[in-house]
Amino acid sequence: MDERLVDASLEPGLGPRRYKFTRREGRNRRTRLLESARELLRERAPEDVSFADVCERAGIPRPSAYHFFPNVQAIFLGLRLLHGEELIRAALTLNAESFDSWRAYLSRLVDAGVATTQGEPAFARLVYGYTVSDPELRKVGAELDARLARLTLAGLEDRFVLPAWEGRDAVFAIAFSIVDVILRLAYRQRASLEDFYVDEAKRACISYLRNYLPEVCPARDPRDASAIGDPLK
C-alpha cells in the first residue's frame, strides 16, 4: 500500500469529520479509493471518471464510500494534495544544490515541479486538465497553492538576502500563479508540458519578480538561520 496515499486520505477537509481518523480498516478503504482514482486517471480524463467508477475499481459499495468522501471531487482533491506534497519533496531536494542567483533557483524549481507532475500521468490530468467546481474543495486547493508559494519564498530566503516590502507574500503568490497558468495553458493546448511553455513560464515569472527583486541579491551566510518560519503552515 502506498503510504503517501494513506497520509493523503487523512488530510483535513476531504470527508465528513466524524470519519476522519477511524480504525485501520477505514483508513485502508479511503486509501483504496484514492489508489483506484489514480489508476483511472492514468487511463482517462477526470471528467470521464465518476464516483461510481472509483467505487467499482476499489471494490467498495457506494454507500460505504460516502462515509469517507462526499463526492468524486473530494477524492480528486486527495490526489491533488498528494501532488502538492510531492512538489514540496522535490523542492526540498534542491537543498543539496547551489545556485548563483535567485533566477537560477527559480528556474530549477520550476523544472523540478514539472518533472514531478509529468512523472505521474494522473497528476497532470488532474492538476492542469480539470476544473474543480465545488467551492469548499477549491478553497482547499487555493490553500495548497499558498503553501507552495511560501515554500518558494522560503527557499529563496534560505539562499539569498532579499529585500523586504509590504505585500511580499502576495507577490510570490502571484509569481507562483503565473507559472501555474502558463503550464495549464500548455497542457490544455498540447496535452503535455512542452519545453517551450516551461521556458515561457520561467521567463514570465522571473520578469514579474524583477519588478521587486534586484538582479543581484547577496548570498546568505549559511550560518545565518534567520528563516521566515515554517512555509508549510
Side-chain angles (χ1 to χ4, degrees), residues 26-90:
R27 293 197 298 272
N28 289 345
R29 286 192 167 196
R30 282 195 294 269
T31 303
R32 278 162 51 198
L33 289 166
L34 287 166
E35 179 61 44
S36 297
R38 183 167 65 176
E39 292 174 359
L40 289 166
L41 288 169
R42 290 169 179 167
E43 303 167 4
R44 61 184 87 158
E47 292 82 3
D48 298 328
V49 177
S50 69
F51 194 79
D53 292 333
V54 176
C55 294
E56 181 179 1
R57 177 68 65 95
I60 297 174
R62 265 192 287 177
S64 297
Y66 283 126
H67 290 323
F68 308 119
F69 296 102
N71 51 45
V72 74
Q73 287 194 350
I75 299 176
F76 288 168
L77 182 58
L79 295 176
R80 173 79 167 83
L81 292 168
L82 174 61
H83 174 254
E85 294 302 322
E86 292 297 298
L87 291 180
I88 289 169
R89 289 188 182 94

Side-chain angles (χ1 to χ4, degrees), residues 117-134:
T117 303
Q118 297 209 112
E120 170 55 74
F123 286 159
R125 284 179 173 160
L126 188 57
V127 174
Y128 294 124
Y130 181 65
T131 301
V132 175
S133 59
D134 187 302

